[in-house]
Amino acid sequence: MEIRKINYFEKTDSAQHREFIISQNNCILCGTVLELKHIADTQTLEIKEEAFCTQCDVKTRAKTHTLN
């Protein structure tokens, strides 16, 4: 299995910062780069974000963002 690497352009000075970025962008089970799905709801002025792994078929997080 080949693991894709995500390009992240922010300067990361500490190992802790790099580990956080990896944990947010990669599957905790297999390391695959997570796919993100965004659904805009114009009625409630919200965007629903879901992150999921295409290899493990696991949803890793779901967040709702309110539009201003």
Side-chain angles (χ1 to χ4, degrees):
M1 168 179 49
E2 179 183 333
I3 296 177
R4 293 184 307 159
K5 184 176 180 182
I6 185 169
N7 291 324
Y8 192 80
F9 300 103
E10 184 174 334
K11 185 177 178 185
T12 54
D13 291 327
S14 71
Q16 183 180 16
H17 189 185
R18 282 188 295 278
E19 287 174 18
F20 174 78
I21 292 168
I22 290 168
S23 74
Q24 293 298 301
N25 294 314
N26 298 80
C27 177
I28 196 71
L29 298 174
C30 71
T32 300
V33 174
L34 296 174
E35 297 287 329
L36 298 176
K37 180 170 51 171
H38 298 91
I39 301 168
D41 186 338
T42 56
Q43 298 294 323
T44 61
L45 297 177
E46 294 178 333
I47 295 180
K48 295 179 181 177
E49 173 189 73
E50 291 183 355
F52 61 95
C53 177
T54 57
Q55 293 292 317
C56 299
D57 201 28
V58 172
K59 184 166 62 169
T60 59
R61 73 174 177 268
K63 292 183 180 181
T64 301
H65 306 279
T66 304
L67 297 172
N68 292 328

